Amino acid sequence: MISRETLTEAIDAELNVSAFKDYTVNGLQIEGSETVTRVLSGVTACQALLDEAVAWQADAVLVHHGYFWKNEPVAITGMKQRRVSTLLKNGINLWAYHLPLDAHVTMGNNACLGRRLGLQAERCLDGELGKGLLWFGRPEEPLDSDMLASRVESTLGRRPTVVQGHTGEIERIAWCTGGAQDMLASAAEAGAQAFISGEISERTTHMAREMGVTYISAGHHATERDGVRELGEWIAARFGVEHRFVDIDNPA
Ligand SMILES: [Zn+2]
């Protein structure tokens, strides 16, 4: 059993939260019990995840996508009321880490995705490693667009949407988990022959073709499962709390 305050400070420090400008609050978003023994993690603090936390008698929920996004309606009504009241009624703390958890050098979503796909990270195109979100590097062995797409599919267990803008071998590759399709232009400018992110827009197809970059839309949810799970494991190993990751299926 460890205090909520100790854990919050430790996670905030490890993820260097104060260094990020974000469109949401990073850290403790909803205050629950003062001590923590069981942490349930998941990608998004949706009702299904909260129900799992209640059933498992967790005292904290740890997510990548929490609440209180800039420009969302502020009133706590409807769906939001049900979520918040589930947490408050059951004394469950809610920790949410957005950009800091995308950027972390070892536990971040981008670090995890690169590792799992066998990509060698060299640098970030939008800031130093540890702060940047757009990662850039090389495949560990030579591959082409088809091989990369099938590696993404077998690694993430989801068939990606692929726009083959580049033919031949891929030697330079960029990636950013989540909804970063509009970073394609920056990736192309830096010389990437392939770019992997989570989502795709109609315009992305034309950009990829005309910029000569293979674009792989690998799933927002699918590319962002690993960071929060790794962070949960880190908390468990360091502070001796129980941790369980729950994957609430999401095709997006
Ligand atoms: Zn996301």
Side-chain angles (χ1 to χ4, degrees), residues 117-118 141 143 146-156:
L117 293 177
E141 74 260 19
L143 40 71
D146 287 341
M147 289 160 75
L148 181 60
S150 57
R151 186 178 297 183
V152 167
E153 180 170 353
S154 59
T155 303
L156 299 181

Side-chain angles (χ1 to χ4, degrees), residues 43 64-65 98 102 109 177-179 220 224:
V43 177
H64 180 49
H65 301 139
H98 184 233
D102 289 319
N109 286 318
T177 62
H220 190 136
E224 297 198 325

Side-chain angles (χ1 to χ4, degrees), residues 74-95:
V74 291
I76 298 180
T77 55
M79 178 184 86
K80 198 173 176 183
Q81 188 276 340
R82 291 189 293 275
R83 290 173 169 188
V84 171
S85 76
T86 299
L87 289 162
L88 292 175
K89 263 196 305 211
N90 292 282
I92 299 173
N93 294 287
L94 177 66
W95 286 305

Side-chain angles (χ1 to χ4, degrees), residues 171-203:
E171 284 163 350
R172 292 177 303 279
I173 185 164
W175 66 99
C176 180
T177 62
Q181 60 268 49
D182 288 330
M183 285 183 173
L184 176 65
S186 305
E189 259 168 50
Q193 295 149 326
F195 177 49
I196 302 169
S197 187
E199 299 187 16
I200 185 163
S201 303
E202 193 272 348
R203 62 183 171 275

